[in-house]
Amino acid sequence: QVQLVESGGGLVQAGGSLRLSCAASGIKFSIYTMGWYRQAPGKQRELVATIANGGRTNYGNSVKGRFAISRDNAKNTLYLQMNSLKPEDTAVYYCNAHGPVGPSWEDYWGQGTQVIVSS
């Protein structure tokens, strides 16, 4: 059974920092592309950042230079360091795992962790 469990969300003032974690189980973590997505009230889910199994990273334009995604394959854990937070970063943040399952590809999602940035 695949599980992605996010943690680290909370309430922070604008300009502050948070570090999100996503603990994965039930998948061969090291071969998966892992990512963070977020969804604000009334908006579509959007890309925050992804990190491929080889370490290549990709960021959404709104977080470039402020957020950093990383992974620890030995701990099966994904991280998102969020700095210089803005009120518009307020959203539920979801962990995603994208990888091979037999001959096809699958996406797995966590339950999400709430981030609220106050002005």
Side-chain angles (χ1 to χ4, degrees):
Q1 182 182 1
V2 178
Q3 281 194 314
L4 302 176
V5 180
E6 301 99 334
S7 61
L11 174 64
V12 63
Q13 286 189 331
S17 298
L18 281 175
R19 188 194 196 203
L20 305 184
S21 300
C22 171
S25 60
I27 59 172
K28 192 171 182 179
F29 182 83
S30 61
I31 69 172
Y32 275 67
T33 291
M34 300 298 297
W36 290 99
Y37 293 75
R38 68 187 182 186
Q39 188 166 17
K43 295 188 177 181
Q44 288 189 326
R45 191 171 295 189
E46 65 173 356
L47 167 73
V48 176
T50 61
I51 183 166
N53 55 7
R56 183 176 63 184
T57 58
N58 180 49
Y59 293 91
N61 287 334
S62 62
V63 306
K64 283 180 181 177
R66 300 187 297 123
F67 291 11
I69 190 171
S70 61
R71 64 192 296 164
D72 186 335
N73 289 339
K75 295 182 178 180
N76 289 355
T77 302
L78 176 72
Y79 302 100
L80 183 69
Q81 179 65 43
M82 305 187 294
N83 298 325
S84 302
L85 282 160
K86 304 175 181 180
E88 51 263 44
D89 294 318
T90 295
V92 178
Y93 285 69
Y94 296 93
C95 176
N96 169 264
H98 176 75
V101 177
S104 64
W105 295 80
E106 290 287 347
D107 279 284
Y108 300 104
W109 294 92
Q111 298 276 25
T113 185
Q114 177 75 58
V115 171
I116 300 173
V117 183
S118 64
S119 56

